Amino acid sequence: MSDLDTLKQSVLSDIAAAVDEAKLEAVRIASLGKKGSISEAMKSLGKMDVEERKIMGPALNALKNEVTDAIAARKSILENEALEQRLATERIDITLPVPAGPAERGRIHPVSQVVDEITAIFADMGFAIAEGPDIETDYYNFTALNFPEGHPAREMHDTFFFNPKEDGERLLLRTHTSPVQIHTMKAQEPPIRVVIPGRTYRCDSDQTHTPMFHQIEGLVVDKTSTVGTMKWVLAEFCKAFFEVPEVDMRFRPSFFPFTEPSLEVDIRCDRSGDNVKIGQGDDWLEILGCGMLHPNVLKSGGLAPDEYQGFAWGMGIDRIAMLKYGMPDLRAFFDADARWIEHYGFRPLDLPTLFGGLSRV
Amino acid sequence: MKFTLSWLKDHLDTKDSLDDIVEALTMIGLEVEEVDDRSKFKPFTIAKVLTAEQHPDADKLRVLSVDNGSGTSVQVVCGAPNARAGLIGAFAGPGTYVPGIDVTLGTSSIRGVESFGMMCSERELDLSDEHDGIIDLSEDVLANAPVGSSFAAYAGLDDPMIEIAVTPNRPDCLGVYGIARDLAAAGLGTLKDGSIAAVAGNGECPVTVALEFGDTESLCPAFGLRLVSGIKNGPSPSWLQRRLKAIGLRPINALVDITNYITFDRGRPLHVFDADKVSGNLVVRRGKDGEDILALDGKTYQVNPEICVIADDNGLESLAGVMGGDASGCSETTTNVLIESALWEPLNIARTGRDLGVNSDARFRFERGVDPAMMLPGLELATQMVLELCGGDASKVSVSGTVPEPHKTIDFPYSEITRLTGLDVPHDRANSILESLGFPVSGSGDVVQVSVPGWRPDVDGKADIVEEVMRIVGVNEIAHRPIERGAHVQGPILTVRQTRERRARRALASRGMMEAVTWSFLPKDQAEAFGGGQPELALANPISSDLSDMRPSLMPNLLSALQRNGDRGINDLALFEVGQIFTGDQPTDQKTGATGVRRGAVQITHEGRDWRGVARGVDAFDAKADAFGVLAELGVPVNNLQVVAEAPSWYHPGRSGRIQLGPKQIFGTFGELHPAILKQFDVDGPVVGFEIILENLPKPRNKTSRTKPALDLPELLPVSRDFAFVVSADVTADKVLKAARSADKKLIQSVSLFDVYEGERMEPGQKSLAIEVTLQPRDKTLTDDEISAVSSAIVASVEKATGGQLRG
């Protein structure tokens, strides 16, 4: 037995001393290989008598198992050490910058974003989106909307005209989105609920006016809507759009040729700081014009004014975008300055929804 | 429209505060734009100079001891030549803001003598330009305005000024009386009697007026004229001057000031002629081509038959209803005056004013409509004021033409109020509102007759009557009523094009591009360079030559944007716009473009220089990738698309292409922009871009089911083989890929191109294209023989289609 003990000690110490996997393999071959020390000892079993073999057989098997396990254990340790060593040499400067991905760099213009926000709100109230051409006839832009020929209200529109055609007709760039009221009434039967976003044009340019701007028109035609309905729709819109629990609104009688009665709407705000704050403060800010459809406008749309009624409103998209998001200058909207778009623009995945909130908090 | 509180109270008996009046004005539709409560004059007090001593160190200064009513006298150093003991004037203490010189007073030492305030001149108080001396009031002033009392109260400077915005439908509120009527109806006091007594004249008016329009449409329904002789013109009294100044008018002389006053008091414009400068009788007629007139604003205007004029034997004396002529204008020396009060055609006045570029208070009122019934009372009121302020004898009034009677009556069902507003207003309340606004109500029952007064030309239907009732009851009284929501879940509301516009934006932004919104118009040469510039798309009155033509494409404005950004140092930039373009002036000619440009190092993966690799400038394939990216996002089957080398002229001819399903279904173009175009836009290239027209894309099929086709997952592993072909340099990749695919449509799952080599190891005029073909076995694993059979078929197919050879 003492020989076996000696052999065991010798092999185990060789295993422990193996500093890498190659040395360990050499130890395995020297012990468990075909001509290894333990294998040789196993071969000697055949020459032993029965009694001796009964003792030595199990002992040698136990030794073989023990050595096999020791090699496996040592191998695992050596592998771990080798991995540790390799990993110790593999170092990157994790502070090196990574480029921003495309969805992070891209931007949606505030006008598009705000139109999407408005669409989300009015879709919930059962409105569809209507659109019409930018190049309009005098009839749709003025006459059908009850602007009398030569009336001062017509002059206030600073209209862009095209050159008269041979038959004397003179096309123009629509000065408001209201012509689409007529197109819509002619194209579909009441009840009608549409909002009409689009580009509008007036030949006016200064600090607060640009020759092109965006308007959103609303149109409701049915047999029941009143000023009360209109007030509700506009108040709900303002709360939802500005994302505030309450908006104090002031409806003032006013004048537009295409509505009767006509109203202008102010919202309470605080203008004391750098930005206008909606829903608080002591100032009033005009944000839209509205009114009940003028009987002549219903007639232009082919509807009987005693049978049908409804309301319409118009509001500047750029303007409410400025109010909500704090852009100071309207002219910058159309300059395509990459710095402005990056700062005031929106991420492509910022999809305004009512269930997820119109804007990021 | 400006007026003062005291002026309003001439016509309105009210105890309501300024704040309440201002609030009410806005809420009944007369939006208050500004209120000047004149508080700047409050600190100035009546004061008396007790002593005036010579300043010890300055010849021109005096040291005053002033009694300002505070109980102790105040020392003031003063340089005014009229400063003397006993003078009564206006005093301002330290801390007072002096408006005329824009200075807030402190305590100062002037040449060694301390001064605790100032005695003011008229200029310092912003009352006039008078600065020869300090204000010097007579001793009797103290009876009503003792020392220490408010100078502003004494001088009538404490009268708040209110400015309202009057909408074009309310000419009645271009006179203070009309504003008072509205406020009285709204419950803010009682409207005073505004009736005007006629002045009995002596003798006929010696100047006759002929309305001569021949067989043309008359532009003057009626004309009243009266002579007042033997008057003495001169400055108008201070109360009148103060009111005119308070509303921003310059007092001129009594006669002119009276006409201006009545214009604002009653909304009734008038004109005065110096009778001695009028030769013969007056004729009201259309102007003649070639005639001109020097008007009161010092400018000469050419007239024509569309313009109504008043002429005498000397020629034109007035642009009727718009502005008088200089030749017969009234001056300080006028002793005989002709007062005119007439009616004009509103549309003609509007056009004359517009065509001649004249904005006058008269035009403003006549084009909106004045009350015909005020023509003669206005003339009487002016006569009264002339007699009162200037003396003289008035003739009888001569009237030419006929003053029309008001005739508009509206059948008004009370139910209209509820139908349109939701308000429930008792009939008697509605009646009293209408009566107080001057709309007599007659009849009884549910439908009554409402007569429209002459001062409300805007009212001609039931809805107008509803508005009158609503604005006086108050819009605040109308309860909000939710709109009916329908008993169903709201379905989608966007049309295909609207959805595509939105998806295109988000798709392009998610490719790292920034959305621009640019003008719909551009300079003509830029429109022409992109296939536009047609005469029917050029504005007749552009705001500038840079914004003269409707855009035929979104590309030019994006190139200009690249140029502007480049000037700001931003050279690596990807921009896009989704918006309208114009191919003609009809509604169907308006299309929606989705267009993008890239300049510099702006790959989809990163932008600018990156430490992991050398920055690569953009090329046509970046634009192609953008175009295909959008098309895929919009549901276009991009694998079936053809790309042909037939792009428009603004692209580089060899580095651009057209994307189509066939020659009749063209979806867009892409490529590198032509160097000549970049030069025109002053942009350093290369710039690449693409354009897609959303209207040209195929409509999605109307699917009834949203179920996707079953997923086909083969059980056997796919096998890939690479091939490289040497082909002539003009063979397109497309050809090789298509030929390879067609070799065995069943077995070949995909073919992709992974290398293009045109380097020095190739014969000139040749290139190598390397493809990877993936085979997907279905029933059993492919044998080596089967794979080599397919490979041979692929090689044969490609060689046949391209004339090339498998690379050895």
Side-chain angles (χ1 to χ4, degrees), chain A residues 11-28 70-71 74-75 77-78 81:
Chain A
V11 173
L12 290 180
S13 82
D14 284 352
I15 290 169
V19 292
D20 56 33
E21 288 187 61
K23 296 242 164 60
L24 183 63
E25 180 63 6
V27 174
R28 188 189 67 79
I71 288 173
R74 182 61 187 161
K75 189 173 182 197
I77 289 168
L78 286 174
E81 279 175 357

Side-chain angles (χ1 to χ4, degrees), chain A residues 88-136:
Chain A
T89 63
E90 292 174 351
R91 280 274 177 276
I92 58 168
D93 175 0
I94 50 151
T95 68
L96 279 169
V98 291
E104 205 178 334
R105 280 181 281 127
R107 287 290 181 277
I108 293 290
H109 194 283
V111 167
S112 304
Q113 185 76 10
V114 164
V115 169
D116 281 355
E117 292 185 14
I118 295 170
T119 306
I121 298 168
F122 282 111
D124 182 69
M125 292 195 263
F127 285 75
I129 307 285
E131 288 166 312
D134 293 19
I135 299 177
E136 266 296 357

